[in-house]
Structures are given as structure tokens and as C-alpha cells.
Amino acid sequence: METTQDYVMVSLKLLGALGLLIFGMKMMSDALQKMAGPQLRHILAKMTTNRLTGMLTGTLVTSAVQSSSATTVMTVSFVSAGLLTLSQAISVIMGANIGTTLTAWIMSLGYNVDLTSVVFPAFFIGMILIYKKHHRYLGDFLFGIAFMFLSLVMLSSAGREMDLAHNESVVNFFASFDTSSHLTILAFLAIGTIITCIVQSSAAVMAITILLCSTGVLPIYLGIALVMGENIGTTATANLAALGANTQARRAALAHLLFNVFGVVWVLCVFYPFVNMVCSFVGYDPSMAGQTERLPVVLAMFHTCFNVTNTALLIGLIPQMERVVCWLLPEKAQAGQEELHLKYIEASLIQTPEIAILQAQKETAHFAQRVQQMFGMVRQLVDEKDASGFRLLYSQIEQQEDLTDRMELEIARFLEQVSENHLSNETKVKVRRMLREVGELESVGDSCYNLARTLNRQRELAKAFTSRQHQQIIALMALCDDALTQMVITMSGHRHEHDIRESYRIENDINQMRMRLKNENIRAINAREYDYATGAIFTDLINECEKLGDYVENVVQARFGK
């Protein structure tokens, strides 16, 4: 009974240590991403000029954040936002697989070196930094790494307490598997894949594998099979995150899966010679008993050799991989449904506030392009003579107005989700600025719809403008379109690349033209050139154009932080 209680306590300690490991790695990864958010964004966006730099970028970023899943989901987010091409993303993902091998080396170190002396000072320093607001992310990082090291110490201790090497039933259970059979290897590969998919942490599976191997009960061949399964299972995170994303993002996640599956297939073809070669690198003989202290190093070495070799084999075949995933996931033509989804924002792919802000900026710029296209429809409506053509165009403008309302709400909702994170003061300012931008852009859409309604009322009342009035409306709308064009240019680039004075100049021209046309309209009505009803419709149009110009100026001012 006492033995059973001991095993229950050790098992609980083991589960707690695994939970602490997952929590520590997530805390460390999140803290690093928040500290280096802008830098990570620029690195991933700019340092992927070719497949080699893309691979190196993925390796460095993953080594830094200690999470291939974080890097891969981040990369999928960038593909979704149109910041990376599919081929660039594939090269980054390849590098991420190499970078994640550092985690295995840290774990193997944790099983061979007493890390207790590092853990407690890290907790103390981390606590001080967290209370100092300016360094809270660095404190979070130290807490995360301390939790990770503490969990490794606890796992190692739990392994010794379980004393599995002297547990006859456990030893006999693992000894019953034929390590020379490929069926056994495939079975353990499947177990590794399933467990990793369930716990969503390749680090936890690696920790369990190292624990079992270091106690001597799990043969190295079966341990390596679990590691191979973990390589496939870890792709589930990115694929789940990409389920609600656009086709390009899903293709990037699928490429990650295909990359790892291909690696597992070729390793299975040369499994025993390859494993024996890796073992020889660290001076371990699989046929001899003992030497358990070297097994964690063997697993880390295999993980590294597997990913480095797989990348070397496939880095020259990225265009072919791109064609394969495009063939497996073709672009679906959904003209009717496409308008219901935002182009760049995927709420399921939020990783760090910096990436989310970048997605929102891209979506807001796309929103600006949409309202300009809507205004283009209004300009067409002015010249549309055919009744059926007018009704069709007017109906499309109504749909666009509804779309702008929903776009405003969805972008605002996304920004509210981002605001739930701990944000820097600079990021808070960006969120407020974008909320103002989308509100003003929705007002531009309302103005476009009001213009269309006024033109529709003119047609229903059968009031025709004089040729001079028509030319004046065309000229005023051309100025408004210039303002919208300048707004789109400003929204699409960096603020320092543009001059707000150009927008002010166009807005001033719109105001002056509106005043001149109002005065001329009063004179023409008094001179009986057209009736009052026609003049009232004309006034409504020029007033709405002036309002639209004001909304556009507000968007530009929000972009410049004024």
C-alpha cells in the first residue's frame, strides 16, 4: 500500500513538473516576443530575401523565443497579412525546425547538470524586475526560464524516485517490444505524434522521452521514434491556428506538416544506420547496456541531425513544395463570400500585440482602399443614364455601405482583443489612433451612400442638372477622389514618408470650391436658370462632398497622430 502511495505521489510530482515546464516555456516565449515584438516583425518581414536568409531567420528567431510553434504561427500570421510570400514562409519554417533543437539541448543539460543554483537567483531577480514596470517583460522571461529549469530538476528528481530501472514490470513491458522491427518504430512514432497533438507541447513529450531513456527502461530506438512523432505532432499548433485563416496561411501551415512528414519518411528508410551514426557521434553503443547518462545527449543530437539534414535536403526544393501545397489547397473562388471576411486580420492568429497591430494597420489601409472604390461607384452613378444600370450600381453601393459598417465593427473588435494584452504606451496610442481611423473611414462610407441616395432622389424626381452643374459636380468629385487617393497613399506607407500638407491643400480646395458653388447656385436659382428643387439637390451633393473631405482629413490626421 505504501509503495502504491509513493508511486501516486511521484506521478503527481511528474505531472506537476511537466505542467510547470509547459508554463515556464510559454511564459519565457511570450516575454521574449513582447520584448522583441517590433524587432521580430522587422526581422521576419525583411530578412527573408532568399531561401537561405529565410532559413537562418527562422533558426535565430526560434532559438531566441524557444518555441518553433510560436515562430511558425507568427510566420503563418505574416503570410495571412500578405507580408511574406509562401516560399519565404517555407524557408522560415525550415529554420524554425532547426532552432527548436536548442530546446532539446537545454533539456539534456538539465538532466546532467544541477540547475538548482541558477533557479532561485533567477526567481529573486525576476521578481524585482517585474515590480519595476519598465523591465517587467525581462522579469517575466527570468521567471519563465527559472520555472523551466526548476521543472527539469523536478523531472530528474522524480525519475530517480520512481527508480524505473529496478521496476520489473516496467522493464519487462518495454523489453517486450522488438526494437529491430519497423512496426514497433511506427507504433511509437504514432504514440509520439498523438501525445504531442494532445498536449500541444513538443517540449513536454521531449521531457518525458528523456526521462524514460535516462532511467534506462526505454531503448534508444523507441525514444528516437517518439522524438520523430513529436516532430509531426508539433505541426498541429500552426495547422489549428490556420483553420480560420485565408488559403495562403493554410498553405504555409500545410508546408510545415509536409516538411516534417517527408523527413520522417526518409529517416524510416535508413532508420537503424542513421541512428547508429548519431550514437557514434556521442560515443554511445546501442547494443551495450548502461551509459544512460549519455542518452539525453543522444536524443538531442538526433533531433539536431534530423532537422539539419532534412532542411539541407529540401531547401533547394522550396518552389516544388510551394507547387505541391498550392495543388493540395487550391484557391477557391468565393466572390459572394469573400466580402464577408477581412483580408488580413485573423483573430485566431493573434500572437503578440505588435503582430496584431501590424495586421490591423494593413486591414485599415485595405478599408481605405475599399471606401475609395465605393466613391468610384458614386462617380459612375453621376454619369449613368441607363435605368437598370443605375439600379444595379445603386444596389452595389448599398451593399458596400453595409460592408463598411461591418468592417468597422470587426476591426474595432479585433483591436479590443489586442487591448486585453499588456500593451506598451506606444502600442496603446496606435490602438486609439486606429480606432479613430476606422470610425472616420466608416463615415466616409456613409457619405458615399448619402451621395448615392441624393442622386437616386434626383432620378426619382426627374430633376436634370444643367450641363454646367454636371461639370461642377464632376470637378468637385474629382477633388474628393484626389483627397481619397492621398489618404490611401498615407495609410499604406510609413508616416515619415508622406507630407500631411498635401492633404490639407486638397481639403482647402474642396472647401473653397464648395463655397463658390453654393454662391453660384443661389445666383442661378434667383436667375431662374433651374428650379429650387434642382438647386436643393445640387446643394445636398456639394455639402456631402465637403463632409466627405472633412472625414478624409480626419483619417489622415489620425494617421499622423494629430
Side-chain angles (χ1 to χ4, degrees):
M1 180 70 181
E2 189 174 314
T3 307
T4 305
Q5 286 181 342
D6 288 344
Y7 271 112
V8 169
M9 289 304 297
V10 173
S11 298
L12 289 174
K13 183 178 178 180
L14 183 66
L15 289 172
L18 285 173
L20 197 62
L21 173 68
I22 295 170
F23 175 75
M25 291 201 70
K26 186 177 187 311
M27 191 175 186
M28 182 180 69
S29 176
D30 288 349
L32 273 167
Q33 289 178 66
K34 286 172 182 175
M35 280 193 293
Q39 287 74 19
L40 287 180
R41 183 182 77 192
H42 294 308
I43 287 170
L44 280 176
K46 293 182 179 178
M47 289 183 63
T48 52
T49 50
N50 59 57
R51 64 190 72 172
L52 184 61
T53 58
M55 184 268 291
L56 291 173
T57 300
T59 303
L60 292 171
V61 171
T62 306
S63 298
V65 300
Q66 277 299 291
S67 172
S68 61
S69 294
T71 305
T72 306
V73 174
M74 207 184 299
T75 305
V76 169
S77 299
F78 274 58
V79 174
S80 176
L83 298 168
L84 288 180
T85 64
L86 183 57
S87 60
Q88 287 173 326
I90 293 172
S91 65
V92 172
I93 289 167
M94 287 181 175
N97 277 269
I98 296 175
T100 195
T101 60
L102 182 62
T103 307
W105 285 105
I106 291 172
M107 289 185 178
S108 67
L109 175 71
Y111 276 86
N112 292 310
V113 179
D114 185 9
L115 297 169
T116 313
S117 56
V118 178
V119 170
F120 298 110
F123 275 129
F124 180 72
I125 297 169
M127 181 184 67
I128 294 172
L129 292 174
I130 287 173
Y131 276 100
K132 290 193 169 185
K133 300 287 185 183
H134 295 299
H135 302 290
R136 64 168 299 166
Y137 295 140
L138 181 58
D140 286 344
F141 169 73
L142 284 176
F143 254 70
I145 203 166
F147 278 132
M148 186 180 77
F149 285 158
L150 180 61
S151 68
L152 293 175
V153 172
M154 291 171 64
L155 283 169
S156 181
S157 171
R160 286 192 297 272
E161 288 178 32
M162 291 176 82
D163 194 22
L164 294 177
H166 296 96
N167 187 313
E168 191 175 342
S169 58
V170 174
V171 172
N172 290 336
F173 172 75
F174 285 110
S176 66
F177 293 101
D178 182 8
T179 57
S180 62
S181 168
H182 270 84
L183 285 175
T184 304
I185 301 302
L186 284 170
F188 273 78
L189 188 150
I191 291 168
T193 303
I194 293 167
I195 294 173
T196 308
C197 288
I198 292 171
V199 300
Q200 287 288 293
S201 172
S202 58
V205 181
M206 178 64 78
I208 294 169
T209 308
I210 292 176
L211 173 66
L212 291 172
C213 285
S214 63
T215 57
V217 298
L218 183 67
I220 189 62
Y221 293 117
L222 302 186
I224 284 175
L226 286 175
V227 172
M228 290 163 62
E230 164 253 307
N231 268 271
I232 296 176
T234 195
T235 64
T237 306
N239 278 280
L240 286 171
L243 281 178
N246 59 28
T247 305
Q248 283 294 88
R250 284 186 283 119
R251 284 171 177 170
L254 178 61
H256 188 205
L257 174 62
L258 292 180
F259 172 77
N260 283 358
V261 168
F262 175 83
V264 167
V265 169
W266 73 255
V267 167
L268 285 174
C269 295
V270 292
F271 184 75
Y272 295 101
F274 188 79
V275 173
N276 292 336
M277 179 190 72
V278 171
C279 290
S280 68
F281 289 161
V282 295
Y284 176 79
D285 187 353
S287 62
M288 290 179 62
Q291 298 179 302
T292 55
E293 71 279 355
R294 293 191 180 182
L295 288 174
V297 180
V298 173
L299 290 171
M301 179 62 76
F302 171 81
H303 199 213
T304 303
C305 291
F306 168 77
N307 283 298
V308 169
T309 308
N310 199 30
T311 299
L313 289 172
L314 287 178
I315 197 165
L317 300 175
I318 287 177
Q320 287 75 18
M321 285 185 69
E322 187 175 6
R323 282 199 288 272
V324 169
V325 294
C326 289
W327 175 70
L328 291 171
L329 285 175
E331 193 78 57
K332 292 180 181 178
Q334 295 180 329
Q337 288 186 319
E338 188 180 13
E339 292 185 343
L340 300 176
H341 301 287
L342 299 178
K343 185 175 181 181
Y344 298 108
I345 285 177
E346 302 292 347
S348 61
L349 295 178
I350 293 181
Q351 275 294 294
T352 64
E354 279 296 331
I355 293 174
I357 289 296
L358 189 63
Q359 286 179 304
Q361 285 176 341
K362 295 276 286 184
E363 195 65 60
T364 306
H366 179 59
F367 192 2
Q369 292 170 358
R370 277 193 179 273
V371 294
Q372 186 179 25
Q373 290 168 3
M374 185 179 177
F375 185 70
M377 294 179 184
V378 175
R379 295 182 73 188
Q380 291 177 42
L381 206 62
V382 174
D383 292 319
E384 184 59 60
K385 305 299 181 188
D386 181 64
S388 60
F390 186 95
R391 283 195 301 273
L392 177 62
L393 203 52
Y394 182 72
S395 174
Q396 289 174 346
I397 292 170
E398 281 185 315
Q399 291 174 5
Q400 287 294 315
E401 199 277 331
D402 178 60
L403 176 65
T404 58
D405 290 344
R406 285 184 287 135
M407 283 189 76
E408 179 199 14
L409 290 175
E410 289 198 35
I411 296 173
R413 191 178 297 120
F414 180 79
L415 289 170
E416 285 172 359
Q417 287 181 336
V418 176
S419 299
E420 291 173 2
N421 296 288
H422 294 293
L423 304 179
S424 65
N425 290 331
E426 182 186 356
T427 306
K428 288 177 183 175
V429 170
K430 286 180 181 177
V431 170
R432 287 198 298 269
R433 194 173 68 219
M434 273 188 283
L435 285 170
R436 182 183 166 199
E437 286 170 6
V438 295
E440 296 293 347
L441 284 169
E442 193 275 332
S443 295
V444 174
D446 287 344
S447 276
C448 291
Y449 182 50
N450 289 337
L451 287 167
R453 288 172 60 193
T454 303
L455 290 169
N456 186 52
R457 188 170 82 249
Q458 178 205 5
R459 179 174 284 266
E460 288 175 348
L461 295 174
K463 298 294 182 182
F465 290 135
T466 64
S467 60
R468 181 167 176 77
Q469 280 181 307
H470 184 79
Q471 290 171 3
Q472 289 170 336
I473 291 169
I474 294 295
L476 183 58
M477 286 190 171
L479 271 178
C480 290
D481 193 58
D482 289 344
L484 285 162
T485 300
Q486 189 63 29
M487 178 190 75
V488 169
I489 292 170
T490 303
M491 297 288 290
S492 302
H494 298 288
R495 283 182 295 168
H496 64 268
E497 296 172 353
H498 305 291
D499 189 349
I500 196 172
R501 287 176 296 184
E502 179 62 18
S503 293
Y504 285 158
R505 183 193 63 77
I506 298 171
E507 167 61 13
N508 185 54
D509 289 347
I510 292 171
N511 290 339
Q512 288 186 353
M513 189 171 186
R514 175 233 184 189
M515 289 302 299
R516 180 165 52 81
L517 294 182
K518 281 187 73 173
N519 292 332
E520 194 169 321
N521 181 57
I522 293 170
R523 183 200 57 77
I525 292 173
N526 291 332
R528 310 285 184 182
E529 293 179 17
Y530 43 79
D531 61 22
Y532 182 84
T534 304
I537 292 171
F538 181 77
T539 301
D540 288 345
L541 285 175
I542 59 175
N543 282 339
E544 199 61 55
C545 282
E546 194 271 333
K547 283 184 188 175
L548 186 146
D550 287 342
Y551 296 139
V552 169
E553 185 180 17
N554 291 342
V555 174
V556 175
Q557 285 181 336
R559 179 76 177 118
F560 277 91
K562 296 194 179 287

